[in-house]
Amino acid sequence: ERPRLRVRVIELSSSTAGVRLVRDGEADLGIVADNQDADDLSSAFYAHDPIRVVVALGHPLLAARDAGGSVSFAQTLEHDVITLGGGAAIAAIVSAAADIDEHGLRRTQEVNTFGALIRLVEGGLGIGFLRESSARFLGGSRAVEVLSLRERW
């Protein structure tokens, strides 16, 4: 209906970059994580995408699940964590929550891709945090299991 309308989608390395582009007038719209300081911009809720914990098969957190199959965030802080780097919003959110919990995050590895994170988790080098939408793509083809957190994220 609108032949002159052009939409260009660019995946950025962080939500912070998306907010900056909108703020600077270089983009009309950005889809960003809710932990961004964007009070000066107009925003609307897009989707609920909870954080999940990814562990290797046989990991101790599997035995710590409650009747609903969930673990608490505090339980995850007792384990080494592999994080996504490059300003990934999920790393900032999990790290901030760990600081509030006054435990801190035991970061042992920082990677740039979901694939690298999963391979390190499969190898038993730590646990990882992914959004549910990303964890769905793991399917049954990996030697990992995805756990829910008891806390609402």
Side-chain angles (χ1 to χ4, degrees), residues 94-139:
V94 170
S95 184
D99 290 344
I100 290 169
D101 200 85
E102 297 183 3
H103 279 89
L105 207 56
R106 287 174 35 184
R107 282 181 215 221
T108 58
Q109 310 283 331
E110 184 176 293
V111 296
N112 292 319
T113 66
F114 293 122
L117 185 144
I118 296 305
R119 284 191 296 281
L120 292 178
V121 169
E122 285 176 326
L125 297 176
I127 64 172
F129 294 92
L130 291 177
R131 291 287 186 174
E132 183 177 78
S133 60
S134 299
R136 270 190 235 129
F137 291 107
L138 299 178

Side-chain angles (χ1 to χ4, degrees), residues 2-133:
R2 300 185 187 273
R4 295 177 155 240
L5 178 66
R6 300 270 189 246
V7 176
R8 190 171 113 194
V9 177
I10 302 171
E11 182 180 13
L12 301 171
S13 62
S14 72
S15 288
T16 304
V19 169
R20 182 183 48 76
L21 288 173
V22 172
R23 193 173 277 136
D24 293 347
E26 296 179 42
D28 296 320
L29 172 71
I31 299 174
V32 300
D34 61 359
N35 69 325
Q36 297 302 303
D37 178 19
D39 292 339
D40 59 320
L41 300 173
S42 178
S43 65
F45 177 77
Y46 173 68
H48 180 64
D49 196 6
I51 294 174
R52 301 292 186 227
V53 184
V54 183
V55 301
L57 297 180
H59 192 278
L61 278 175
L62 293 171
R65 291 178 286 191
D66 62 18
S70 300
V71 295
S72 72
F73 183 65
Q75 287 173 296
T76 69
L77 297 178
E78 299 170 8
H79 301 276
D80 292 342
V81 176
I82 302 158
T83 60
L84 288 170
I90 192 167
I93 292 167
V94 170
S95 184
D99 290 344
I100 290 169
D101 200 85
E102 297 183 3
H103 279 89
L105 207 56
R106 287 174 35 184
R107 282 181 215 221
T108 58
Q109 310 283 331
E110 184 176 293
V111 296
N112 292 319
T113 66
F114 293 122
L117 185 144
I118 296 305
R119 284 191 296 281
L120 292 178
V121 169
E122 285 176 326
L125 297 176
I127 64 172
F129 294 92
L130 291 177
R131 291 287 186 174
E132 183 177 78
S133 60

